[in-house]
Amino acid sequence: MADATVIDGKAFAAKLREKVAVEVTRIKSESGVTPGLAVVLVGEDPASKVYVGSKAKQTVECGMESFEHRFDESTDEATLLALIDKLNNDPAVNGILVQLPLPDQIDEQKVLSAIDPDKDVDGFHTTNVGRLWTGGDSLVPCTPFGCSVLLKDFLGNLSGKNAIVIGRSNIVGKPMAALLLAESCTVTIAHSRTDDLPGKCREADIVVAAVGRPEMVKGDWIKPGATVIDVGINRIDAPEKGLNDDGSPKTRLVGDVDYAGAAQVAGAITPVPGGVGPMTIACLLRNTVVACCRQNGLADPGI
Ligand code: NDP
């Protein structure tokens, strides 16, 4: 089999952001409403700060309002819950995102449950989880939603395909499985206790890896011609790139799939970086526009 087609998530995300910007212009001109996204960050985690900065920048670039709320590490739960209540009742805020993880003194589930489900653009509220599994108008978690958009764009109709989702987290694995089931795939959900994972993978037309283990899924686990979606983002040492000033090895990002091996066998594959990663924020912006339309009785943006 020749090398797999590379599914370019970065380019696809750029196109999705353009569509979001067009919808934002339409919403503004038809209703005078500007969609708004509030992002809440507690603490100084460097990766979280980068994510929040990117989210705010891309929100503004799409013509939306961005509201940033930053708190220090010692902030208590009551302060955060009071802010969520205020944002729930603010008509200028259509989407609320609380950057995870939160510090230990704050009950993450309690905070996520306090968000108005109609403003829950991360799709983590149990009401949205229930709506997703029962076929309602949910807001769907951004990363698995992005994977399903890429799959549908590349494969068209997914009906009847065998799909395996490796990983069962609430953020990626479970909602991914729900989305594939909704597309009439036959879905296997694998996890750390799954017996003969390579054998189960080899039966799949679609493999979604969301494990958090660098390059775990090998080329000989892949059915020839299968479509492989690699959600993993893992930073590993890359001594071949040389050393940092402090003598530590430089690093590089890899997925949960052994890209070189899998690309020999698969029909199509997402790279890391540049595959699923860029889709996550684009889908967050899309969810904010969808939430804004629903809250204001406007036509569904259809993106
Ligand atoms: P979690 O750690 O929450 O879940 C990992 C899942 O993988 C668990 O269900 C676990 O099983 C399963 N697992 C672990 N080891 C194995 C194994 N050896 N064999 C089979 N299954 C295994 O991770 P997330 O779902 O949050 O994230 C997964 C990956 O996706 C990470 O690399 C993360 O960085 C990346 N990610 C990327 C995003 C993006 O924007 N592209 C967004 C979110 C995540 P069990 O339940 O049995 O423990």
Side-chain angles (χ1 to χ4, degrees):
M1 167 94 31
D3 273 1
T5 302
V6 179
I7 299 177
D8 187 346
K10 194 174 171 195
F12 199 98
K15 274 194 267 167
L16 181 54
R17 288 197 302 274
E18 277 170 27
K19 288 185 192 167
V20 168
V22 168
E23 285 304 314
V24 169
T25 306
R26 178 185 67 85
I27 292 166
K28 283 181 182 170
S29 70
E30 282 180 10
S31 66
V33 171
T34 301
L37 172 66
V39 180
V40 181
L41 173 66
V42 184
E44 298 294 323
D45 178 62
S48 295
K49 281 166 102 171
V50 171
Y51 286 138
V52 165
S54 302
K55 284 167 186 170
K57 181 167 169 278
Q58 293 185 30
T59 302
V60 172
E61 282 169 359
C62 285
M64 297 194 267
E65 286 277 7
S66 168
F67 307 98
E68 273 186 73
H69 297 270
R70 292 176 184 246
F71 293 94
D72 65 39
E73 189 79 28
S74 62
T75 300
D76 62 15
E77 193 176 278
T79 305
L80 208 52
L81 290 173
L83 172 70
I84 301 288
D85 186 51
K86 194 166 147 243
L87 298 175
N88 282 343
N89 291 297
D90 182 347
V93 173
N94 304 113
I96 303 169
L97 180 146
V98 176
Q99 186 66 44
L100 303 178
L102 292 170
D104 290 347
Q105 74 275 15
I106 299 175
D107 180 342
E108 223 161 74
Q109 210 47 52
K110 203 166 167 184
V111 171
L112 296 180
S113 299
I115 298 173
D116 177 345
D118 294 335
K119 295 190 176 186
D120 167 39
V121 283
D122 249 344
F124 295 158
H125 194 289
T126 51
T127 297
N128 279 315
V129 177
R131 286 175 183 162
L132 173 60
W133 283 96
T134 54
D137 275 342
S138 61
L139 289 164
V140 180
C142 303
T143 300
F145 185 75
C147 296
S148 83
V149 169
L150 290 177
L151 278 168
K152 283 195 277 184
D153 179 69
F154 186 74
L155 290 172
N157 190 355
L158 307 186
S159 177
K161 296 202 180 294
N162 286 334
I164 188 164
V165 180
I166 316 175
R168 57 174 164 180
S169 71
N170 291 331
I171 293 173
V172 189
K174 285 180 196 158
M176 188 72 239
L179 287 166
L180 291 166
L181 190 60
E183 294 297 327
S184 299
C185 291
T186 304
V187 185
T188 301
I189 307 174
H191 44 77
S192 64
R193 308 293 171 90
T194 296
D195 182 39
D196 186 21
L197 181 56
K200 290 190 171 63
C201 254
R202 272 182 221 115
E203 290 172 12
D205 307 305
I206 295 170
V207 177
V208 181
V211 189
R213 296 196 184 273
E215 302 176 317
M216 185 189 86
V217 177
K218 305 300 179 200
D220 64 1
W221 297 20
I222 305 297
K223 177 176 166 179
T227 304
V228 178
I229 303 289
D230 190 352
V231 183
I233 302 178
N234 309 288
R235 189 166 285 285
I236 61 167
D237 287 349
E240 73 279 5
K241 288 170 72 177
L243 299 177
N244 294 310
D245 291 343
D246 64 2
S248 60
K250 292 206 186 284
T251 59
R252 64 189 174 96
L253 290 181
V254 296
D256 291 339
V257 177
D258 169 17
Y259 184 87
Q264 297 293 315
V265 190
I269 187 167
T270 57
V272 177
V276 173
M279 289 297 287
T280 298
I281 298 183
C283 291
L284 170 70
L285 304 175
R286 178 260 178 205
N287 278 357
T288 305
V289 167
V290 169
C292 175
C293 289
R294 288 182 189 160
Q295 286 159 36
N296 289 283
L298 302 171
D300 189 287
I303 51 172

